Amino acid sequence: MGGVSEGRGGRCLVFVRKSRGRSARYSPPRVRTKVMATTKAPAPPTASRRWAALLFIGLAQLMIILDGTVVNIALPSIQRDLQISDGDRQWIITAYTLAFGSLLLLGGRIADYTGRKRVFLISLIGFAGASALGGAAGGFEMLLVARALQGGFGALLGPSALSLLTVTFTEPKDRAKAFGIWGAIAAAGGAIGLLAGGALTDYLDWRWCLYINIPVAAVAAVGGFAILTESRREGRARLDVPGVLAVTGGLVAIVYATSRAESDGWDSAKVIGLLAAGAVLLAAFVLVESRVAQPLLPLRVVADRTRGGAYLAVGVAVIGMFGAFLFLTYFMQVVKGYSPIRTGVGFLPMTTAVLVSAGGLATRLLPRVPPRALIVPGMLIGASGMLWMLTLEPGGSYASGVLVAQLLLGLGAGLIMPVALNYATHGVDQGDSGIASASVNTAQQIGGSIGIALLNTVATSTTADYLSSHARDGLSPDVAKQALVEGFGAAGALSAGIMIVGALVVGVLMNTPRPEHRPATADAEAPAPLAEAPAHAA
């Protein structure tokens, strides 16, 4: 006999069979059913975890920027210790910038698909290992390999760090504060590196300029492992090999050409050939990216007027900043006779000006005004700082020359960097945040490399012309110092001209309104997107 019984879970069949005067309840065997689970997006981090994440991400970014400048001030000591020739010493810097700048786009795409937290942690460990190798280098070749490895791991670390920041801070108010801090780190890190490099070189040894990265990377890696949340682009990764080869070859050719221009001249066949080859390869890269299914750099990322203007602003700004670090360092050490540590201390006013401008002005105004209302004045203020280098004199005081130039440059950079870094990634599709971050870092690295080569060539040529025209006066120390100052002034004037032109272009190109006037969208990552069309549009 059978019947129907009500239970807690609803109606169920109950089978009853009689056996030897007893009735027994019989239930049919259970049928296992497969439940389809849905992937739940990770909950957004709490406010305290977000700001803790910013601390460790910022440490990684600071390490990258420090490494780009801390070695510069130790370069004379490195050259003497390892017996490096004058012609080869540039490669201590160029090996790093070549690897960094040419591999950034690939690093951004790897971070997108492999996992941003994973790439962040691996690249921190690799960067620390390369730094240890460089610090222990017994010859030029080992140091060169270590610097190239540092650049390669930096090309992974930079995009993963900035993309983690982008996906961690999505609320406009918190995002503005986070990018204000980030911009201050980016703009002030160079000066901090010069200070650290001077102290380490004077009181310890040049090798500690590399060893210092190890504890910083360890703290960032441990904290990042505990705090950061993993994020990645959905889907299977397909590396754009033709795009990788084209953009890497093109950027290597251009950076190598600019590094050779100082010794060979801009009109040499080698330099012209390398520049032409680089231009052809980059043009081929654009063609490839417009046709492949999964491009290394989706053209939609850079085609947007706002993001394109932000990339241009970053690239132009670092020309002035890197040029100032280079020429003011030589002015203080060679012309004024400062020690490395005194030179580092001499850069502290620039650091203070950046912090005041980025943290006090840009962070407060970023959510309220259009981006070009901050970037354009910042570029013009920075240009005035470079023009001030025309007033430098061998016998002039620090306060009337170097100090004024630094304060103007610092105030200008503090207005540019937080805004440009924010708008370079804000509004981009979350799956493209790594490549957008890589584009910002590429603009920084390549702009700085090309800018330094160009400005240094102008400075060297002007110095040589001055010495030639004053040969009848004899090559006295005073004449030699004045020749250097003339070269620094000419390079500063050229840098100012580049920044003024850049300000005009950004003012026309970057027509984004102030944030509260942007239409709201459902994009979780960018509540107020900057692009005129959705980021996923073709």
Side-chain angles (χ1 to χ4, degrees):
M1 297 179 62
V4 179
S5 174
E6 296 288 345
R8 292 183 181 179
R11 299 164 65 93
C12 65
L13 291 176
V14 178
F15 294 88
V16 181
R17 62 183 177 86
K18 293 183 177 180
S19 175
R20 296 183 181 179
R22 292 180 302 174
S23 63
R25 186 180 298 267
Y26 171 77
S27 298
R30 295 180 180 179
V31 178
R32 293 186 179 179
T33 58
K34 184 177 181 180
V35 179
M36 299 300 295
T38 57
T39 303
K40 184 179 179 181
T46 61
S48 59
R49 288 181 67 89
R50 284 200 303 270
W51 294 110
L54 176 61
L55 170 64
F56 299 115
I57 298 172
L59 272 178
Q61 177 68 5
L62 179 62
M63 184 181 66
I64 295 175
I65 297 174
L66 288 178
D67 198 76
T69 56
V70 72
V71 175
N72 291 345
I73 204 166
L75 191 57
S77 299
I78 296 174
Q79 184 178 359
R80 288 193 302 269
D81 192 18
L82 299 184
Q83 299 181 351
I84 302 171
S85 67
D86 290 342
D88 288 337
R89 66 185 178 186
Q90 64 170 327
W91 286 105
I92 300 174
I93 306 300
T94 305
Y96 179 83
T97 58
L98 271 175
F100 201 138
S102 61
L103 295 175
L104 271 169
L105 292 176
L106 177 60
R109 187 50 81 197
I110 291 174
D112 278 337
Y113 280 106
T114 305
R116 298 171 184 114
K117 176 180 177 179
R118 178 182 299 176
V119 172
F120 179 78
L121 297 176
I122 292 174
S123 55
L124 277 172
I125 296 171
F127 199 96
S131 300
L133 179 65
F140 174 63
E141 292 77 11
M142 183 182 292
L143 180 61
L144 201 64
V145 170
R147 292 289 288 165
L149 287 173
Q150 278 186 311
F153 284 110
L156 289 172
L157 182 58
S160 62
L162 187 53
S163 60
L164 281 169
L165 184 70
T166 301
V167 299
T168 300
F169 292 91
T170 57
E171 293 297 327
K173 185 177 180 180
D174 286 348
R175 184 183 176 96
K177 292 180 181 179
F179 273 92
I181 297 171
W182 183 267
I185 292 172
I192 297 174
L194 291 172
L195 176 59
L200 293 170
T201 303
D202 266 354
Y203 296 122
L204 293 174
D205 186 77
W206 67 263
R207 298 179 185 275
W208 281 97
C209 292
L210 294 166
Y211 287 147
I212 192 63
N213 292 326
I214 300 173
V216 177
V219 172
V222 172
F225 178 80
I227 296 295
L228 294 175
T229 302
E230 184 62 281
S231 66
R232 63 171 57 85
R233 184 187 179 104
E234 296 298 330
R236 183 180 178 184
R238 292 183 181 178
L239 290 181
D240 173 19
V241 176
V244 171
L245 295 177
V247 71
T248 302
L251 292 176
V252 167
I254 290 176
V255 175
Y256 182 67
T258 54
S259 69
R260 295 296 306 174
E262 182 180 355
S263 57
D264 297 348
W266 288 100
D267 57 350
S268 69
K270 179 184 291 185
V271 171
I272 293 175
L274 286 169
L275 289 175
V280 170
L281 286 170
L282 291 181
F285 171 69
V286 174
L287 181 62
V288 169
E289 299 309 282
S290 65
R291 298 191 176 189
V292 297
Q294 293 188 9
L296 177 66
L297 175 60
L299 297 183
R300 63 179 178 270
V301 173
V302 295
D304 175 72
R305 292 179 63 169
T306 298
R307 288 194 290 271
Y311 299 150
L312 176 63
V314 170
V316 171
V318 297
I319 291 177
M321 293 297 292
F322 279 37
F325 290 146
L326 177 65
F327 298 128
L328 293 180
T329 297
Y330 273 91
F331 177 78
M332 286 188 276
Q333 289 198 46
V334 177
V335 178
K336 303 296 291 182
Y338 291 1
S339 66
I341 184 61
R342 188 179 179 186
T343 300
V345 173
F347 274 103
L348 286 179
M350 181 184 289
T351 304
T352 304
V354 170
L355 294 174
V356 170
S357 182
L361 293 177
T363 301
R364 297 176 184 271
L365 296 176
L366 183 56
R368 299 182 175 90
V369 300
R372 62 182 172 185
L374 295 173
I375 292 178
V376 172
M379 296 177 81
L380 295 177
I381 294 172
S384 65
M386 295 305 293
L387 283 174
W388 196 265
M389 293 180 67
L390 289 169
T391 68
L392 295 179
E393 296 179 357
S397 67
Y398 169 85
S400 63
V402 174
L403 178 61
V404 176
Q406 284 191 40
L407 291 176
L408 291 171
L409 283 163
L411 290 173
L415 291 176
I416 296 169
M417 298 305 289
V419 185
L421 290 172
N422 190 343
Y423 281 83
T425 58
H426 189 45
V428 74
D429 182 79
Q430 184 169 348
D432 289 329
S433 63
I435 201 65
S437 304
S439 299
V440 182
N441 283 275
T442 299
Q444 286 181 303
Q445 202 64 34
I446 300 302
S449 299
I450 295 175
I452 285 181
L454 175 62
L455 298 180
N456 198 49
T457 299
V458 171
T460 303
S461 301
T462 303
T463 297
D465 292 342
Y466 185 90
L467 290 174
S468 177
S469 64
H470 290 76
R472 61 182 182 275
D473 300 330
L475 297 181
S476 65
D478 291 339
V479 172
K481 290 180 179 180
Q482 185 61 43
L484 289 173
V485 171
E486 293 292 330
F488 300 158
L494 176 60
S495 176
I498 294 173
M499 296 183 76
I500 291 171
V501 173
L504 294 175
V505 174
V506 169
V508 174
L509 183 66
M510 207 172 188
N511 61 346
T512 306
R514 57 181 181 171
E516 52 261 44
H517 283 184
R518 297 188 214 116
T521 72
D523 190 348
E525 180 193 355
L530 303 182
E532 297 176 0
H536 59 270

